[in-house]
């Protein structure tokens, strides 16, 4: 016999219990991800190709203007490859962030009718974006073949770690924004602008080295450490800067704890407000 | 085991009604309010409190079917929402000994763009069924809904009747210990309604399942439930044998 379910006014914060519950609902996690992937390209002519279209076009435009005309330095790597590695991680992060922030409001119809661990929604959103990331990686492989650029095989081993930190960065900030969005729809208006600005303070278009002695400030942005490390790992341009990577991870973890606490706290009035 | 399957103790739920323009708060409104009335929070009287539920107490035994009746705004749906764990009570405690599934609306989790087949799996998962369970019952669900021909058509092309039948059919094949239903039986044509009722009746009798449901259809309530609860203004007005409670309710209405 299972323990009885107790319904009380306050939601107790118990991370282990929550994780266990999410594990029990893993099929639902799968189905939400499946739904999002399935629905997205219904009634489109080229379907899944849209996943590749966006980063590819951005890469071409950036390569022409920043790499070609503006002669942006790229640590000795062909600029298209350089910028594409940055874009891959950047888009994984920014798409995850904006979708997570909408994940509660967008699923209002379900949230107000059925119980399930609410954390499943943001998590499944990021998994969907991760699949986009994986698909868009094909272009990177193509680019590297085109420029006869051999990847740094040992470096690739740390990619899962980098993806994990990106995941943490997106979900931690995302949880706070998603909860805020339940009460203040302003989030939906501010975020696109915020993300656009953030692109320019993240070394996507340019290498961190361009900032010279100010590059330390860039390190406060978690995506800086990640994109730098990704370039170092895949392209072998520089050695991996572990300090900035550790700073990024710690910052993410702190935000994550705040995010979960805030999310759990607001969970109690989601349905009454959303 | 003779412990009741659901124990509801002193449940109350308070809502705040904001007597202002719109439902959506924007940051600007909040800031504006702070500037206009910087000490408003000290008075704290701008929002009116409204008790949707006040000190609800009752218990339900395993295998019972309980009907909840009452006028609109009596708090019936709020109570079911709390039992479904969709919203939280303001005070009190509920103990549930078993897996509960709730059906507060027909078609929860359905997605218009997906086909009938896809929706059965999706909605099943959202309602708390395992994938294997859905696979196992898939044919029954389709047959019960009578949509065999259109199972691979997106549901946005379904007629509203077909949609409702499919949605209810998925829900009807859940096998929770406790089933919480909010007025969703009023769907489909007469025949289909009868089919749904039979299915529910079978569930309680055969598998000793517990059902808790809200309805405005006194006949359905009388057919299904031995015991019934009448709610009014967030309180339990009367509680007892179905016939007695319904009669009381009807007299009560006439006397108003």
């Amino acid at each position: 016999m299972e323990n009885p379910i107790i319904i009380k006014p306050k939601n107790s914060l118990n991370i282990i219990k929550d994780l266990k519950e999410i594990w029990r609902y893993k099929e639902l996690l799968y189905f939400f991800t499946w739904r999002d992937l399935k629905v997205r390209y219904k009634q489109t002519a080229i379907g899944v190709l849209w996943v590749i279209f966006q980063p590819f076009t951005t890469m071409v435009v950036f390569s022409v203007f920043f790499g070609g005309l503006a002669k942006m330095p790229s640590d000795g790597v062909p600029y298209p490859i350089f910028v594409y590695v940055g874009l891959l991680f950047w888009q994984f992060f920014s798409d995850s962030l904006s979708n997570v922030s909408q994940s509660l409001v967008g699923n209002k119809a379900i949230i107000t009718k059925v119980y399930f661990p609410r954390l499943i929604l943001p998590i499944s959103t990021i998994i969907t974006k991760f699949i986009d990331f994986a698909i868009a990686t094909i272009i990177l492989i193509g680019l590297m073949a085109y420029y006869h650029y051999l990847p740094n095989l040992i470096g690739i081993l740390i990619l899962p770690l980098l993806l994990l930190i990106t995941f943490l960065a997106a979900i931690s900030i995302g949880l706070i924004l998603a909860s805020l969005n339940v009460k203040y729809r302003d989030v939906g208006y501010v975020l696109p602008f915020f993300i656009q600005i953030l692109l320019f303070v993240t070394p996507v278009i340019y290498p961190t080295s361009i900032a010279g002695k100010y590059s330390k400030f860039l390190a406060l942005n978690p995506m800086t450490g990640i994109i730098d490390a990704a370039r170092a790992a895949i392209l072998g341009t520089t050695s991996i800067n572990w300090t900035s990577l550790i700073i990024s991870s710690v910052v993410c973890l702190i935000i994550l704890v705040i995010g979960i606490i805030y999310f759990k706290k607001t969970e109690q009035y989601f349905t009454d407000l959303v | 085991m003779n412990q009741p399957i659901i124990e509801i103790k002193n449940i109350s739920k308070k809502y705040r009604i904001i007597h202002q323009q719109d439902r959506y708060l924007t940051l600007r409104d909040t800031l504006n309010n702070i500037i206009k009335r910087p000490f408003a929070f000290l008075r704290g009287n701008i929002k009116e409190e409204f008790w949707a539920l006040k000190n609800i107490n009752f218990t339900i035994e395993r295998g019972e079917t309980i009907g909840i009746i009452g006028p609109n705004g009596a708090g019936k749906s709020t109570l079911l929402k709390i039992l479904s764990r969709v919203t939280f009570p303001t005070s009190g405690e509920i103990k549930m000994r078993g897996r509960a599934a709730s059906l507060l609306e027909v078609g929860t989790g359905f997605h218009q763009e997906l086909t009938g087949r896809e929706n059965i799996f999706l909605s099943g998962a959202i309602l708390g069924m395992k994938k294997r369970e859905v696979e196992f019952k898939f044919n029954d669900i389709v047959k019960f809904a009578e949509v065999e021909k259109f199972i691979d058509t997106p549901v946005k092309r379904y007629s509203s009747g077909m949609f409702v039948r499919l949605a209810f059919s998925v829900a009807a094949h859940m096998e929770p210990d406790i089933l919480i239903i909010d007025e969703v039986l009023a769907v489909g044509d007469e025949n289909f309604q009868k089919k749904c009722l039979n299915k529910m009746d079978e569930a309680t009798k055969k598998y000793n399942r517990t059902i808790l449901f809200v309805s405005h259809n006194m006949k359905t309530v009388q057919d299904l439930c031995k015991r019934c609860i009448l709610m009014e203004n967030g309180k339990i007005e009367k509680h007892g044998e179905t016939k007695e409670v319904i009669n009381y309710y009807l007299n009560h209405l006439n006397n108003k």
Side-chain angles (χ1 to χ4, degrees):
Chain A
M1 180 77 200
E2 274 178 78
N3 288 331
I5 298 162
I6 311 268
I7 301 172
K8 273 190 310 196
K10 273 258 154 58
N11 218 353
S12 54
L13 189 69
N14 185 339
I15 305 250
I16 294 169
K17 210 178 118 209
D18 287 342
L19 286 178
K20 268 191 192 159
E21 197 182 20
I22 289 173
W23 181 247
R24 262 198 289 130
Y25 277 83
K26 57 185 179 299
E27 274 191 3
L28 185 59
L29 186 61
Y30 163 80
F31 272 110
F32 275 137
T33 313
W34 172 85
R35 175 194 68 179
D36 289 346
L37 289 172
K38 197 111 199 179
V39 164
R40 197 154 36 140
Y41 299 110
K42 287 252 166 165
Q43 280 199 16
T44 59
I46 63 167
V48 76
L49 282 180
W50 284 115
V51 176
I52 293 178
F53 179 82
Q54 204 194 338
F56 182 76
T57 320
T58 319
M59 181 271 291
V60 170
V61 171
F62 281 8
S63 296
V64 169
F65 287 93
F66 296 115
L69 299 177
K71 306 253 175 308
M72 189 70 83
S74 55
D75 292 343
V77 182
Y79 189 80
I81 303 185
F82 171 85
V83 81
Y84 198 76
V85 171
L87 277 174
L88 265 183
F89 277 86
W90 174 254
Q91 272 189 351
F92 177 37
F93 170 74
S94 63
D95 287 356
S96 300
L97 186 61
S98 56
N99 282 286
V100 166
S101 71
Q102 294 296 330
S103 60
L104 294 177
V105 173
N107 286 293
K108 169 182 171 176
I110 301 174
I111 289 183
T112 51
K113 300 295 175 201
V114 185
Y115 174 82
F116 56 87
R118 307 309 190 194
L119 272 171
I120 283 190
L121 286 170
I123 296 174
S124 89
T125 308
I126 299 189
I127 295 175
T128 317
K129 292 298 152 196
F130 171 71
I131 292 167
D132 287 0
F133 173 91
I135 295 171
T137 310
I138 295 166
I139 296 282
L140 179 65
I141 296 169
L143 278 176
M144 290 181 101
Y146 180 80
Y147 286 99
H148 301 292
Y149 208 94
L150 271 184
N152 177 3
L153 286 176
I154 300 168
I156 286 180
L157 292 178
I158 78 151
L159 280 187
L161 176 69
L162 297 180
L163 286 169
L164 179 71
I165 305 175
T166 314
F167 176 90
L168 290 180
I171 201 162
S172 55
I173 306 171
L175 283 179
I176 298 176
L177 292 177
S179 320
L180 270 175
N181 202 10
V182 170
K183 199 167 175 187
Y184 301 108
R185 296 291 146 89
D186 306 64
V187 171
Y189 301 103
V190 174
L191 194 61
F193 170 71
F194 176 70
I195 284 177
Q196 204 179 14
I197 296 295
L198 210 57
L199 170 67
F200 295 106
V201 295
T202 308
V204 174
I205 304 166
Y206 52 86
T208 316
S209 53
I210 209 173
K213 59 180 176 174
Y214 299 111
S215 57
K216 281 198 196 80
F217 292 105
L218 284 180
L220 286 175
N221 169 358
M223 286 312 289
T224 301
I226 293 166
I227 290 177
D228 274 350
R231 281 184 181 137
I234 302 172
L235 309 174
T237 43
T238 45
S239 55
I240 294 173
N241 184 345
W242 288 102
T243 338
S244 82
L245 208 53
I246 290 170
I247 295 177
S248 296
S249 323
V250 171
V251 170
C252 288
L253 283 175
I254 294 172
I255 305 176
L256 182 64
V257 172
I258 300 172
I260 290 181
I261 293 174
Y262 185 59
F263 187 85
K264 280 279 164 193
K265 230 183 134 189
T266 47
E267 209 174 34
Q268 284 170 68
Y269 59 78
F270 276 173
T271 34
D272 298 335
L273 268 185
V274 76
Chain B
M1 187 150 337
N2 285 328
Q3 276 174 310
I5 193 158
I6 304 177
E7 279 175 70
I8 301 178
K9 279 185 217 144
N10 273 323
I11 286 293
S12 298
K13 170 85 183 173
K14 180 174 72 181
Y15 282 108
R16 290 211 189 94
I17 316 172
I18 303 170
H19 289 293
Q20 261 176 15
Q21 345 82 18
D22 49 22
R23 296 192 319 125
Y24 293 104
L25 282 172
T26 64
L27 196 54
R28 214 186 89 201
D29 294 337
T30 308
L31 293 178
N32 257 342
N33 284 342
I34 292 174
I35 292 165
K36 271 194 247 156
R37 292 189 294 256
F39 300 109
F41 67 94
L42 287 179
R43 296 201 301 272
N45 272 342
I46 315 158
K47 291 168 183 168
E48 189 188 318
E49 288 182 353
F50 169 74
W51 291 90
L53 290 176
K54 193 100 194 154
N55 292 326
I56 301 290
N57 283 291
F58 65 93
T59 55
I60 300 173
E61 303 297 329
R62 202 170 286 270
E64 264 191 306
T65 303
I66 302 260
I68 301 177
I69 56 174
N72 285 329
K76 306 180 298 282
S77 295
T78 307
L79 180 62
L80 292 201
K81 270 190 177 173
I82 292 174
L83 282 165
S84 309
R85 294 202 281 164
V86 160
T87 186
F88 290 79
T90 309
S91 64
E93 191 182 290
I94 297 176
K95 249 186 216 158
M96 277 206 271
R97 298 187 174 84
R99 200 169 72 112
S102 48
L103 196 55
L104 302 185
E105 168 198 66
V106 175
T108 307
F110 267 64
H111 198 290
Q112 291 290 329
E113 297 288 340
L114 297 175
T115 66
R117 181 187 302 276
E118 290 163 344
N119 266 311
I120 291 179
F121 281 95
L122 178 63
S123 164
I126 289 171
L127 293 173
M129 281 199 253
K130 293 263 169 263
K131 191 167 166 237
R132 268 225 215 110
E133 208 179 327
V134 181
E135 274 164 1
F136 184 68
K137 292 176 185 159
F138 186 83
N139 289 330
D140 291 342
I141 294 177
V142 178
K143 217 175 136 206
F144 189 87
E146 301 158 27
V147 292
E148 289 97 332
K149 248 206 222 150
F150 307 96
I151 197 64
D152 287 310
T153 310
V155 298
K156 64 178 171 184
R157 310 218 197 288
Y158 277 31
S159 75
S160 50
M162 277 157 67
F163 178 84
V164 159
R165 285 205 306 270
L166 183 63
F168 192 85
S169 177
V170 177
H173 286 79
M174 293 190 288
E175 287 178 352
D177 303 317
I178 307 163
L179 187 57
I180 299 163
I181 308 180
D182 191 0
E183 287 186 86
V184 286
L185 281 173
V187 300
D189 52 27
E190 192 118 357
N191 254 335
F192 188 72
Q193 279 192 29
K194 218 175 246 166
K195 220 160 117 180
C196 296
L197 291 180
N198 286 339
K199 182 100 194 160
M200 280 174 60
D201 216 24
E202 182 193 301
T204 37
K205 297 214 168 96
K206 244 198 204 154
Y207 308 105
N208 207 23
R209 218 155 282 154
T210 309
I211 298 181
L212 193 68
F213 83 104
V214 164
S215 181
H216 285 296
N217 186 336
M218 295 305 143
K219 196 177 165 303
T220 315
V221 176
Q222 206 146 24
D223 287 350
L224 283 177
C225 324
K226 257 198 207 126
R227 205 150 67 90
C228 181
I229 288 167
L230 170 63
M231 287 184 70
E232 206 175 350
N233 296 328
K235 290 183 192 121
I236 294 184
E237 178 76 25
K238 197 162 170 68
H239 177 183
E241 214 204 325
T242 305
K243 224 177 195 165
E244 207 180 308
V245 176
I246 289 181
N247 283 337
Y248 176 86
Y249 177 44
L250 295 178
N251 282 333
H252 195 65
L253 276 184
N254 287 338
N255 291 340
K256 263 190 183 167

